[in-house]
Amino acid sequence: MPLPYRIVLSVGASATLAVPALAADPGTMDVTIAIPRLKVAEYHKPYVAIWVEKAGAKAKTVAVWYDHDMKANEGTKWLRDVRQWWRASGRSMSFPANGITGATRAPGTHKISFTRAQLGAQAAGQYTLVIEAAREVGGRELLRVPFTWPAKAGAGGRAAGTTELGGVSVAFR
Amino acid sequence: MKKHIWGFAATAVLAALAAVPASAHRQWMLPSSTVLSGDDVWVTVDAAVSNDLFYFEHQPMRLDALKAWAPDGNEAAIENKATGRYRSTFDVHLTQKGTWRIASVSDGVMGTYDLNGKTERLPRGTTTANLAERIPAGATNVKTAESNNRNEIFVTVGEPTTTLFKPTGKGIELVPVTHPNDLFAGEASTFQFLLDGKPAAGLPVTVIPGGIRYRDQLGQVDLKTDAEGKVEVTWPEPGMYWLNVTTPQADGAVEGAPPPVARRASYVTTLEVMAP
């Protein structure tokens, strides 16, 4: 029953910018990914792939952070080391991929947002967001965060890595 | 006395028949990588005949019969070929996306004939095409066995394709049920084997993980193709695996027995099993 609620709000708040955020159906997923600072002799920023899985559907890549600006597209040579993503989705794609390719990111906390359409989550149901990181001369780690769509505004799930990834959390707005 | 000569000759023939890769030494090709990404992609391959897998410690594999095919079916160049004391090596520039095939296929005829009271072996390099001219006039008791040996590997850039798996109908060939470049530890994979283009039932299949030098147990898995020529392999661990399929040794292949007049075929491939 969102309609009466909206009417009340629009009267009270007079269509301020706050209105869409309070609407019943979130349309955006915010993903927070911590890349740990590692004390190693040779450190390279990890390649990170983020994709969405749904039972019975093809995996959908939503972001890939890699050395996309090397000459002759050389950074793509190591994409296969993000090996579960490579099998699930990467190997059938071409790079750079529009709206998906991004630069590698330094240790720290990174926030990245996706619309429901970007996530390929138009149908209602259970999904899994998968985050996989692979580091040159380093290790590899993969985390899964299940979520449902339609989503409820607010926190939507989290997972914690132990080596190549720190905490990963999902929230909807 | 006559019996004694016969026994000696038979041993010689058996030795010749055994000189295919299925014998004590294992022939193999080891690609630097089988699953590749990128736009300018190369694979480098070591090729050798050895006891342990995959260590080059006995003989280099000869590259005379080596060929490579691109995913579109065209033959591709083999680059930087070199044969050293213990191994051969070569590169293939993978200029197309999809699955590439690199194969060394040799077909031959082995056998014996009697001439002037002596049993002679057919020389090396005898094929069905030149068999007639290699058997001298007056030869009797001709016994021959055709052999087809195939040693091939597959490497994939991007998405695996299956265009290169059309059987030629000669020797043992692999038909993917599971693609050979899509293998993961803990998963079961199925391959079908054909002998002369038909499903090869009851063929022994041997699978051995690489890295023999650093473990005590060989870890060999012995399987047999089913009625459809299919075999299922579950990979215990990631790594490179050597897979060998041969036509079985003829029954009664014991010293002193007459040489088997039979079909001999062998198949070897190296499979990379990825970590899940």
Side-chain angles (χ1 to χ4, degrees), chain B residues 243-260:
Chain B
L243 182 147
N244 174 224
V245 189
T246 52
T247 48
Q249 299 281 340
D251 288 341
V254 291
E255 206 174 327

Side-chain angles (χ1 to χ4, degrees), chain B residues 42-258:
Chain B
W42 289 75
V43 68
T44 191
V45 181
D46 286 337
V49 180
S50 67
N51 279 327
D52 280 356
L53 299 166
F54 292 93
Y55 306 102
F56 28 94
E57 27 79 328
H58 179 58
Q59 292 291 333
M61 193 180 115
R62 300 290 159 193
L63 302 182
D64 316 321
L66 191 73
K67 286 181 178 180
W69 288 269
D72 66 5
N74 287 319
E75 205 176 314
I78 306 248
E79 304 195 38
N80 305 325
K81 267 197 212 183
T83 295
R85 173 63 186 85
Y86 287 130
R87 66 160 170 189
S88 291
T89 184
F90 59 90
D91 300 332
V92 180
H93 191 183
L94 308 173
T95 51
Q96 288 174 24
K97 299 249 192 265
T99 300
W100 292 66
R101 187 158 73 93
I102 299 165
S104 178
V105 180
S106 63
D107 301 313
V109 176
M110 292 172 291
T112 59
Y113 56 82
D114 294 347
L115 188 66
N116 303 327
K118 275 172 76 182
T119 302
E120 307 280 356
R121 271 165 67 176
L122 281 169
R124 268 197 125 139
T126 303
T127 63
T128 44
N130 64 23
L131 177 63
E133 68 200 52
R134 298 223 170 163
I135 297 173
T140 57
N141 196 25
V142 177
K143 293 178 193 295
T144 63
E146 191 188 344
S147 76
N148 302 99
N149 302 314
R150 180 184 304 273
N151 183 351
E152 68 185 4
I153 53 172
F154 302 97
V155 296
T156 295
V157 186
E159 205 160 14
T161 56
T162 54
T163 44
L164 294 181
F165 293 93
K166 277 191 200 85
T168 64
K170 207 168 176 191
I172 300 175
E173 293 174 278
L174 179 146
V175 178
V177 178
T178 306
H179 194 287
N181 292 147
D182 196 21
L183 311 178
F184 281 76
E187 292 186 8
S189 306
T190 303
F191 307 113
Q192 186 184 33
F193 291 98
L194 307 180
L195 177 59
D196 296 334
K198 292 190 232 19
L203 290 192
V205 178
T206 305
V207 180
I208 304 176
I212 293 173
R213 191 188 285 172
Y214 305 115
R215 63 174 186 263
D216 293 336
Q217 301 301 318
L218 184 57
Q220 174 169 338
V221 178
D222 292 302
L223 304 161
K224 207 157 235 177
T225 56
D226 67 11
E228 293 177 292
K230 285 181 184 165
V231 71
E232 190 185 273
V233 188
T234 301
W235 311 101
E237 281 177 23
M240 289 287 188
Y241 286 76
W242 185 79
L243 182 147
N244 174 224
V245 189
T246 52
T247 48
Q249 299 281 340
D251 288 341
V254 291
E255 206 174 327

Side-chain angles (χ1 to χ4, degrees), chain A residues 73 76-77 80 83 87 140, chain B residues 33 35 37 39 182 187 276:
Chain A
N73 221 2
T76 54
K77 181 177 176 185
R80 56 96 192 265
R83 55 179 184 257
R87 185 190 202 193
R140 186 191 70 103
Chain B
S33 190
V35 173
S37 62
D39 292 340
D182 196 21
E187 292 186 8

